[in-house]
Amino acid sequence: MKIATWNVNSLKVRLPHLLQWLEVNPVDVLCLQETKLEDYKFPFAEINAAGYQVAFSGQKTYNGVAILSKLPITDVVRNNPRFDDPQQRILAATIGGVRFISAYVPNGQAVDSDKYVYKLAWLASLNDWLAEELRTHGEQGLAILGDYNIAPEDRDVYDPVGWGDEVLCSPKERAALAGLIGLGLTDSFRLFEQPEKSFSWWDYRQLGYQKNKGLRIDHILLSESLAKRCVACAIDRVPRKWTQPSDHAPVIATLG
């Protein structure tokens, strides 16, 4: 089974890219973030025609998450039931007995901002809810895929000194991500030897991609049972080279 995550940064703009990518990479489950579409505008028919069932949770202009699957999707839950939030950032579903969660963690804007406080509160509540989900689904398997907006370590940042304590790299954010992993999850990317300077996001400005000035902020975290089955994990940089790309690249994990 191949599973993937991709922040498409507007599904309306990136739908042709998504369909093109799925033709070449027919993954079994794909979690999307930043669809930026109200539900009635979701391209349900086009995705069905590509061979995928889909669950989605969207809003106008911002946020939005979706799960695409070749297998039936059941037990769909929108949002974190422990966190009252109008922003559509969480979608959970069961596929083939495995619990999948598509997550779009808040950016945080800056460490001295209200949005940073919101991000930390959001992550703390996610930790509480995820602990419950793992107790319920951990034995059969749970995967939480998405744009975490956190680079776990200095090696996940092109310029760790320059970023220092900035948002996406600050100690409190990294501690929150470490707390999620500490629940019994594994960063699938780090199960394998990876090339140096492997990133999943590059700023559009100042030739960020061309100069590989990126961060690894898109992650696939696996419960113990799934981590034991994981045989590969990689970042697919190809779509980032396309015309009008998302600023994120897909991350793919293979489960044996």
Side-chain angles (χ1 to χ4, degrees), residues 155 187-198 216 232-235 251-252:
R155 60 178 168 168
D187 179 356
S188 58
F189 190 75
R190 290 299 175 201
L191 285 170
F192 309 97
E193 185 174 349
Q194 302 288 358
E196 291 186 6
K197 298 187 180 298
S198 291
R216 188 176 72 92
C233 185
I235 297 167
V251 182
I252 309 170

Side-chain angles (χ1 to χ4, degrees), residues 52-89:
Y52 288 86
Q53 299 186 32
V54 62
F56 48 89
S57 179
Q59 66 185 85
K60 186 177 181 180
T61 308
Y62 301 103
N63 307 317
V65 283
I67 300 175
L68 284 62
S69 173
K70 289 185 174 181
L71 299 172
I73 298 173
T74 62
D75 302 323
V76 176
V77 173
R78 295 170 61 133
N79 301 322
N80 175 357
R82 282 181 163 268
F83 193 76
D84 186 16
D85 189 3
Q87 299 188 28
Q88 302 303 306
R89 295 181 173 275

Side-chain angles (χ1 to χ4, degrees), residues 4-6 31 33 101 103 105 143-153 156 168 177 181 186-190 198 200 215-222 233 235 248-249 251-253:
T5 184
W6 191 5
C31 292
Q33 301 84 42
I101 302 172
V105 176
I144 174 166
L145 308 86
D147 174 3
Y148 285 71
N149 269 313
I150 302 170
E153 303 175 53
D156 299 309
L168 310 187
L177 179 54
I181 292 172
T186 297
D187 179 356
S188 58
F189 190 75
R190 290 299 175 201
S198 291
S200 64
L215 304 178
R216 188 176 72 92
I217 58 176
D218 301 270
H219 311 301
I220 298 176
L221 304 186
L222 302 175
C233 185
I235 297 167
H248 294 254
V251 182
I252 309 170

Side-chain angles (χ1 to χ4, degrees), residues 25-52:
N25 303 275
V27 295
D28 299 284
V29 177
L30 173 61
C31 292
L32 301 179
Q33 301 84 42
E34 280 203 280
T35 55
K36 298 183 178 180
L37 286 174
E38 293 173 278
D39 285 350
Y40 78 95
K41 292 184 177 180
F42 196 90
F44 184 85
E46 292 90 334
I47 288 174
N48 276 182
Y52 288 86

Side-chain angles (χ1 to χ4, degrees), residues 34 51 60 110 118 125 127 142 161 163 169-170 183 186 207-208 212 217-218 225 233 240 250:
E34 280 203 280
K60 186 177 181 180
Y118 161 70
S125 184
N127 186 297
L142 181 147
V161 175
W163 279 83
C169 301
S170 73
L183 294 172
T186 297
L207 299 175
N212 200 27
I217 58 176
D218 301 270
S225 59
C233 185
R240 189 60 176 81

